[in-house]
Amino acid sequence: MILKKLVLGPLASNCYIAGSEAAKEGMIIDPADEAKTILKNVEELGLEIRSIVLTHGHPDHFGAVKEVKEATGAEIAIHTDDAKLLRQQTLGLLFGLYYPKPPAPDRLLNGGDSIDIGDLHFSVIHTPGHTPGGICLVGHGVVFSGDTLFNYGIGRYDLPGGSYNQLMDSINSKLMALPDETIVYPGHGPETTIGAERRGNPFLHG
Ligand SMILES: [Zn+2]
Ligand SMILES: [Zn+2]
């Protein structure tokens, strides 16, 4: 699997470009900001982008979605329960971020759906708690965890639609069910593994 991480925007959000070596097709997870940087990397990797997947509907993760969609023609996919967040200007104010209005999503995701890019197959896990429609994408030994699970941290649950109990349930029942060696690529900060978080994440041990 081709995998490139970019750290973008004022909140240092992680954007991932993942692709199939064989098919030269790829997806962009969370085009956070700086469309030109994202598109330059896509070109360097030689990938045809099929899908733009938003782990959740916060503006620090979709700032460049309009430009990236226009440049690639790829489908925009987001969980059903977060689609409405794309239209909420108030969230931008809350985050102090101002971006072009995102286009309407092309595909509404639900838990259990799969995202297929060439010979790559990722499963959508619904992980509410940070937002109602937060998702993680699992496949090929990795999980893209959005703002649900971080390296020795967890997502905020105090924003509109957030819930501590839901977040902990999402992490404990869905993410901690993954094998220890699974590499975690979060929405902010460095990567980690499920095993490292199971053993050492202070928020998972009370
Ligand atoms: Zn967020
Ligand atoms: Zn974020």
Side-chain angles (χ1 to χ4, degrees):
M1 176 170 66
I2 295 168
L3 183 59
K4 176 87 187 181
K5 172 188 172 181
L6 304 170
V7 183
L8 304 172
L11 299 185
S13 307
N14 294 334
C15 165
Y16 299 98
I17 305 169
S20 154
E21 313 235 13
K24 290 288 176 195
E25 294 177 6
M27 66 174 165
I28 297 170
I29 299 166
D30 290 348
D33 201 342
E34 303 170 46
K36 282 188 181 63
T37 303
I38 298 172
L39 295 169
K40 182 166 107 7
N41 277 275
V42 166
E43 197 182 322
E44 282 170 8
L45 295 168
L47 293 174
E48 189 79 33
I49 298 300
R50 300 289 182 214
S51 210
I52 301 164
V53 183
L54 305 179
T55 59
H56 62 295
H58 280 160
D60 59 318
H61 296 260
F62 69 66
V65 71
K66 181 172 189 286
E67 278 175 87
V68 170
K69 159 87 181 174
E70 284 168 1
T72 62
E75 65 169 16
I76 298 173
I78 186 169
H79 191 276
T80 310
D81 296 340
D82 266 19
K84 61 180 177 298
L85 296 184
L86 297 181
R87 300 191 302 269
Q88 281 180 12
Q89 300 289 324
T90 46
L91 266 180
L93 297 175
L94 187 65
F95 281 81
L97 299 171
Y98 304 92
Y99 294 120
K101 199 165 152 284
D106 303 284
R107 182 176 174 196
L108 295 179
L109 300 169
N110 291 293
D113 285 354
S114 91
I115 293 175
D116 304 312
I117 307 290
D119 53 333
L120 301 180
H121 307 283
F122 292 92
S123 305
V124 174
I125 307 182
H126 182 208
T127 50
H130 176 67
T131 61
I135 59 161
C136 297
L137 281 187
V138 180
H140 306 275
V142 311
V143 55
F144 298 98
S145 65
D147 284 4
T148 297
L149 179 67
F150 299 123
N151 186 324
Y152 280 26
I154 60 172
R156 285 179 65 171
Y157 43 81
D158 59 329
L159 296 164
S163 155
Y164 175 77
N165 289 337
Q166 277 189 334
L167 183 67
M168 294 315 293
D169 184 57
S170 291
I171 294 171
N172 286 320
S173 70
K174 294 177 177 167
L175 294 180
M176 289 302 134
L178 299 171
D180 274 355
E181 60 274 18
T182 309
I183 301 170
V184 180
Y185 292 106
H188 301 271
E191 66 195 64
T192 179
T193 64
I194 291 294
E197 296 309 309
R198 196 192 311 282
R199 288 187 298 272
N201 188 316
F203 296 92
L204 304 190
H205 302 273

